[in-house]
Amino acid sequence: MHNYLEDSKVMLIAHRGFSTDFPENTRAAFETALESNVDMLEIDIHRTKDNYLVVIHDHTINRTSNGKGKVKDYTFNSLMQFDYGVVKHIKFKGQHLMTLEQVLVLIKHYPQKLLIEIKQPHFYPGIEQQLIHILEKHDIPDEKVLIQSFDQKCIRNLHKMKVGFKLGVLISKKKYWYRMPNFDKIAIYADYVNPHYSLVNHKFITAAHSFDLSVMPYTVNEPNVAKKLIMLGVDGLISDNPTKLT
Ligand code: G3P
Ligand code: CA
């Protein structure tokens, strides 16, 4: 059978791990993704009260754990008292919150790249420097990691630090539904422009590519949407179920 995904050579990115079938941003979701044929793993980071970078999407633990409260108000040890699997399904009971460093140790054993999203950096002054320090401490090669954020200032800060990692700007539907991003300005400091998939059309792709910006839309979970985006010429697909897109 004709496989448009394989033919296209588009990058497949597991969004928060295999988050359709596993609790998002947990070891279970990451290991399953890393054992598959995806090209990249996407994670989100926040910071605890005692300065650990931890892998979680929201700035609170309310939705994804059996606890309540803000990540920044807890120490890492106190966040470990909660369960991060059971909300998805009882069979995932025992999944813990992971630190960024634990994910770096895990991904070293795999060929995939890591796409790190810095969440709400305004809550965490200096998080850019801290992230780079951790990546350097773990000897992570430049080509292994990409860093992205909705916060363009944060990505500009990383660019000013002259880091070797590829950088990306996330483009939200809420902010850009009526206008195109300033690709010319973004291209000065970023390599990727990753939009909500609904914003992608021929004009978007042509403009981004004309400034050498790669385009990896999120969150693409339907095969018909994936096919349309591939035909438009996207460079990657960020998906909760990347192996089910054909
Ligand atoms: O990687 C892109 C995507 O993760 C951005 O949105 O809210 O799922 O982190 P969100
Ligand atoms: Ca994300």
Side-chain angles (χ1 to χ4, degrees), residues 108-127:
K108 265 190 188 173
H109 303 292
Y110 292 91
Q112 283 94 344
K113 298 182 186 210
L114 184 64
L115 175 59
I116 302 174
E117 180 182 348
I118 305 182
K119 282 289 183 200
Q120 295 159 296
H122 54 280
F123 286 151
Y124 314 114
I127 192 169

Side-chain angles (χ1 to χ4, degrees), residues 15-16 42-44 57 117 119 148 150 170:
H15 183 238
R16 314 180 197 174
E42 191 257 5
I43 62 169
D44 306 286
H57 180 272
E117 180 182 348
K119 282 289 183 200
Q148 63 174 0
F150 283 104
L170 284 159

Side-chain angles (χ1 to χ4, degrees), residues 3-15 18 29-41 110-113 237 239 241-246:
N3 185 332
Y4 61 86
L5 257 180
E6 271 176 25
D7 294 351
S8 71
K9 302 271 181 290
V10 75
M11 302 275 275
L12 284 182
I13 300 107
H15 183 238
F18 266 18
F30 297 155
E31 285 180 344
T32 317
L34 292 168
E35 293 294 339
S36 80
N37 64 348
V38 299
D39 302 287
M40 249 185 247
L41 179 65
Y110 292 91
Q112 283 94 344
K113 298 182 186 210
L237 295 170
S239 173
N241 52 0
T243 55
K244 295 181 186 167
L245 289 177
T246 47

Side-chain angles (χ1 to χ4, degrees), residues 32-94:
T32 317
L34 292 168
E35 293 294 339
S36 80
N37 64 348
V38 299
D39 302 287
M40 249 185 247
L41 179 65
E42 191 257 5
I43 62 169
D44 306 286
I45 58 168
H46 284 270
R47 188 161 75 194
T48 66
K49 189 177 176 182
D50 53 348
N51 287 325
Y52 282 83
L53 297 190
V54 288
V55 180
I56 186 166
H57 180 272
D58 302 352
H59 75 288
T60 75
I61 61 170
N62 303 2
R63 181 178 59 84
T64 53
S65 83
N66 57 358
K68 277 208 182 326
K70 292 179 184 164
V71 174
K72 71 179 177 63
D73 294 338
Y74 281 103
T75 61
F76 177 62
N77 271 344
S78 53
L79 285 169
M80 288 295 279
Q81 70 186 291
F82 303 114
D83 191 289
Y84 297 80
V86 77
V87 176
K88 183 80 171 179
H89 193 279
I90 188 70
K91 70 182 174 191
F92 297 118
K93 186 170 167 25

